[in-house]
């Protein structure tokens, strides 16, 4: 690829690239993969009612999450070795195939398989969208593009539950998959016609053993985090066995990567201070982000008696804060070349947002909830994509795919662990609080409350299968006891996260502000 020098404010790029069209294709790829992570969070009960297989319900999300995470480092490394365009086109086709198969699914097993295929494409779309922009735009100008990418990722993470609720309550959950078809076709057309990237190749054999160890170890970790405390007790042989497999794979992976000619995740990446600090902070930010976005829709529905679509709309302030700061800060970084303190301030604001979420009460207003979510989104938008830019600026363009993928891989692991840990603690605390409060509230509610308490005790309905509409119709004492249980089971968890995010803030203070590159090698 011809080297292109740029000066401050100079918008010249290689003549072979139509950056606006290329960027549109990349944004569409980022949009569909991030929507796919959350879009079924409000649709699962309806899907199970339609297809059956309640015992396999969690796999609709787990299968997607698993294959996305596994795909990240593989696509990143291959992109550096053979070129990113053929992989990007392949990822779009895989996502399209999975979407069509899922929309036509005649059983829960078919839908799970389709979601796994979607994830195989999704991992490529997530990392290649961020790596390709480094092939066409110098780091000095890349901030504005990364800012928009961060906004799209944040918007779609919040928009997913909203769209899921809209499709479920409207034309049907299958349209959450048919929706991807025109988006994939548009992204594919633009990519084939306008994306001209260098074909790379080192001639080295792929790191097959490292890839196999990564796949097995990551699968074990994600299954451990997803099943622990839900499907199996933390002390069960299944969970302990998964933990042992993960540890064995992790240790062996480090040994193998030290000796591999072309390691999947080169350990020398961690010798770069900015990579280690940004990746460590990104993992923590993933824990906080997914821990909040995965469970607040349920909280809003049960505590404030809102439907799935309305609960999704209540996440709009977080989306607005994230989108606004991501775009504005990205443009400022491109104009000034200064970036160090934005992620530091952003992570601190995230900690403040978590602190405010941890003080929510059932009787609090929706306006206050919206303000709190806006603060959290404000902080998230200031740091999420800037950390990717800092990682990319640390390495030459021949390593950008590997470095970007590794950074995304650990953030995705953090998100998986965050949502799993928050979910496990939330469910455990909720069951404990319900068992304490519901019988007492039922006594004060007369005969209606007694019947509800009896159904709950027998496991045939009651609190375990309560919808927001049914909760709103319960007598006052019962309603308040259940809403209060949901509140007190969830929001204190976010207070525990505050010190963790402050640790990320401290890490980011030690970032070195290297000059943003003004050329594409």
């Amino acid at each position: 690829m011809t080297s292109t020098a740029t000066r401050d404010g100079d918008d010249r790029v290689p003549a072979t690239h139509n950056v606006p069209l290329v960027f549109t294709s990349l944004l569409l790829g980022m949009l569909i993969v991030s929507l796919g992570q959350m879009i079924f969070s409000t649709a699962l009960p309806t899907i199970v009612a339609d297809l059956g297989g309640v015992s396999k319900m969690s796999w609709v999300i787990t299968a997607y999450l698993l294959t996305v995470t596994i795909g990240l480092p593989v696509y990143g490394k291959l992109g550096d070795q053979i070129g990113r365009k053929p992989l990007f086109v392949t990822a779009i086709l895989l996502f399209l195939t999975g979407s069509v198969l899922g929309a036509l699914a005649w059983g829960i097993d078919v839908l799970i398989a389709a979601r796994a295929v979607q994830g195989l494409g999704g991992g490529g779309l997530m990392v290649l969208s961020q790596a390709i922009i480094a092939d066409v735009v110098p780091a000095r100008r890349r901030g504005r593009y990364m800012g928009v990418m961060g906004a799209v990722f944040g918007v779609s993470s919040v928009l997913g539950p909203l769209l899921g609720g809209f499709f479920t309550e409207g034309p049907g959950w299958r349209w959450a998959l048919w929706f991807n078809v025109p988006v994939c076709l548009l992204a594919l057309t633009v990519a084939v016609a306008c994306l001209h990237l260098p074909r790379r190749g080192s001639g080295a054999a792929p790191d097959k053993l490292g890839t196999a160890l990564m796949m097995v170890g990551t699968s074990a970790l994600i299954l451990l985090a997803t099943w622990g405390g839900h499907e199996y007790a933390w002390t069960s042989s299944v969970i302990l066995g998964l933990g042992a497999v993960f540890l064995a794979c992790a240790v062996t992976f480090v040994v193998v990567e030290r000796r591999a000619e072309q390691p999947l995740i080169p350990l020398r990446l961690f010798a770069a201070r900015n990579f280690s600090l940004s990746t460590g902070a990104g993992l923590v930010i993933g824990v906080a982000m997914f821990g909040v976005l995965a469970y607040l829709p349920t909280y809003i529905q049960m505590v404030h008696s809102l439907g799935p679509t309305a609960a999704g709309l209540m996440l709009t302030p977080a989306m607005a804060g994230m989108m606004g700061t991501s775009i504005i800060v990205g443009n400022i970084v491109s104009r000034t070349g200064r970036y160090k303190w934005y992620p530091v301030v952003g992570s601190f604001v995230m900690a403040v947002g978590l602190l405010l979420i941890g003080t929510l009460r059932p009787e609090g207003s929706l306006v206050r909830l919206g303000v709190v979510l806006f603060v959290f989104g404000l902080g998230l938008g200031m740091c999420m994509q800037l950390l990717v830019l800092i990682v990319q600026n640390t390495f030459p363009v021949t390593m950008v795919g590997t470095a970007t993928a590794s950074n995304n891989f650990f953030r995705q692991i953090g998100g998986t662990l965050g949502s799993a840990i928050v979910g496990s603690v939330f469910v455990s605390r909720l069951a404990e609080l319900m068992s304490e409060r519901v019988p007492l509230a039922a006594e004060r509610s007369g005969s209606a409350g007694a019947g509800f308490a009896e159904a709950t005790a027998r496991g045939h309905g009651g609190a375990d299968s309560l919808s927001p509409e049914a909760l709103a119709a319960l007598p006052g004492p019962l309603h308040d006891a259940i809403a209060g249980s949901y509140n007190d089971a969830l929001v204190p968890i976010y207070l525990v996260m505050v010190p963790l995010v402050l640790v990320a803030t401290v890490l980011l203070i030690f970032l070195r502000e290297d000059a943003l590159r003004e050329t594409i090698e």
Side-chain angles (χ1 to χ4, degrees):
M1 182 175 181
T2 305
S3 184
T4 302
T6 61
R7 297 183 302 273
D8 227 352
D10 190 350
D11 283 338
R12 291 178 298 160
V13 296
T16 53
H17 296 300
N18 187 328
V19 174
L21 280 177
V22 170
F23 191 55
T24 298
S25 181
L26 302 183
L27 287 182
L28 291 173
M30 180 72 78
L31 173 68
I32 55 177
V33 66
S34 49
L35 276 177
Q37 293 188 109
M38 303 293 291
I39 199 165
F40 282 119
S41 61
T42 51
L44 284 179
T46 304
I47 291 172
V48 170
D50 188 14
L51 299 179
V54 65
S55 62
K56 302 176 182 177
M57 178 172 64
S58 63
W59 275 101
V60 175
I61 293 177
T62 301
Y64 180 84
L65 186 65
L66 181 60
T67 50
V68 164
T69 307
I70 288 173
L72 287 171
V74 176
Y75 278 105
K77 185 65 178 181
L78 287 177
D80 284 340
Q81 290 183 310
I82 66 173
R84 295 184 241 282
K85 178 175 178 176
L87 291 175
F88 189 68
V89 170
T90 300
I92 295 174
L93 290 174
L94 281 171
F95 200 93
L96 176 61
T97 301
S99 297
V100 173
L101 181 61
L104 297 173
W106 54 90
I108 193 71
D109 292 328
V110 177
L111 179 60
I112 290 169
R115 289 284 285 168
V117 174
Q118 264 194 312
L120 286 175
L125 293 174
M126 181 179 292
V127 67
L128 293 172
S129 295
Q130 298 173 78
I132 287 173
I133 199 66
D135 275 331
V136 298
V137 178
R140 182 68 159 81
R141 289 180 48 235
R142 206 178 303 149
R144 68 186 69 169
Y145 296 96
M146 299 303 284
V148 175
M149 281 187 166
V152 168
F153 184 84
V155 166
S156 53
S157 295
V158 174
L159 194 61
L162 174 61
L163 280 178
F166 169 77
F167 287 127
T168 301
E169 295 178 338
W173 63 266
R174 294 178 188 270
W175 283 94
L177 293 160
W178 287 123
F179 167 82
N180 294 322
V181 173
V183 181
C184 286
L185 291 176
L186 179 58
L188 182 64
T189 301
V190 176
V192 171
C194 303
L195 194 57
H196 306 286
L197 299 175
R199 182 175 292 277
R200 309 186 192 281
S202 62
D207 181 16
K208 296 179 182 178
L209 181 55
T211 301
L213 287 168
M214 181 277 298
M215 293 174 66
V216 174
T218 301
S219 299
L221 179 62
I222 290 179
L223 293 178
L224 184 153
T226 303
W227 287 347
H230 296 284
E231 302 289 333
Y232 302 96
W234 286 107
T235 55
S236 69
S237 58
V238 172
I239 297 301
L240 294 177
L242 287 171
V245 169
F246 166 69
L247 290 175
C249 287
V251 172
T252 309
F253 181 79
V254 171
V255 174
V256 168
E257 296 301 273
R258 289 175 63 90
R259 299 176 180 177
E261 182 180 355
Q262 285 289 330
L264 182 68
I265 301 178
L267 300 184
R268 67 179 182 276
L269 292 176
F270 297 93
R273 184 170 79 180
N274 279 6
F275 176 85
S276 295
L277 294 174
S278 297
T279 300
L283 189 149
V284 172
I285 288 169
V287 170
M289 176 182 174
F290 285 93
V292 169
L293 296 182
Y295 291 96
L296 272 188
T298 297
Y299 170 88
I300 294 169
Q301 289 181 66
M302 299 307 294
V303 174
H304 294 281
S305 301
L306 298 181
T309 304
L313 282 172
M314 276 306 303
L315 296 178
T316 303
M319 176 179 68
M322 196 182 312
M323 181 171 63
T325 52
S326 185
I327 294 174
I328 292 171
V329 169
N331 277 279
I332 292 174
V333 169
S334 287
R335 189 174 67 250
T336 65
R338 308 302 298 269
Y339 56 84
K340 173 177 176 176
W341 292 105
Y342 295 110
V344 175
V345 174
S347 58
F348 180 78
V349 173
M350 279 185 65
V352 173
L354 287 170
L355 181 65
L356 294 174
I357 293 173
T359 61
L360 292 174
R361 302 298 304 160
E363 62 273 12
S365 69
L366 291 175
V367 173
R368 183 175 187 274
L369 175 62
V371 171
V372 168
L373 291 176
F374 177 79
V375 172
F376 181 78
L378 204 69
L380 190 57
M382 293 179 72
C383 54
M384 188 170 66
Q385 286 302 108
L386 267 187
L387 294 179
V388 177
L389 175 61
I390 292 169
V391 165
Q392 291 182 344
N393 190 60
T394 305
F395 302 99
V397 73
T398 52
M399 291 184 64
V400 158
T402 301
T404 303
S406 300
N407 179 267
N408 276 267
F409 175 73
F410 286 104
R411 184 171 66 189
Q412 190 77 9
I413 291 292
T416 303
L417 293 176
S419 59
I421 292 170
V422 169
S424 178
V425 177
F426 171 47
V427 170
S428 175
R429 286 171 54 86
L430 181 62
E432 181 181 339
L433 291 172
M434 286 279 206
S435 65
E436 293 175 358
R437 298 178 182 182
V438 167
L440 294 175
E443 292 179 7
R444 298 196 298 271
S445 300
S447 58
F452 179 87
E454 183 179 356
T456 299
R458 292 178 178 177
H460 301 298
D464 288 335
S465 57
L466 193 62
S467 67
E469 296 79 9
L471 175 60
L474 287 176
L478 259 180
H479 173 277
D480 294 345
I482 295 172
S485 296
Y486 269 88
N487 184 91
D488 297 345
L490 182 63
V491 297
I493 301 173
Y494 298 121
L495 290 177
V496 178
M497 286 187 178
V498 172
L500 186 64
V501 176
L502 290 177
V503 169
T505 303
V506 174
L507 288 177
L508 293 171
I509 291 174
F510 293 97
L511 283 172
R512 185 177 61 241
E513 192 170 48
D514 298 329
L516 293 174
R517 299 172 189 264
E518 300 196 17
T519 61
I520 303 172
E521 296 90 340

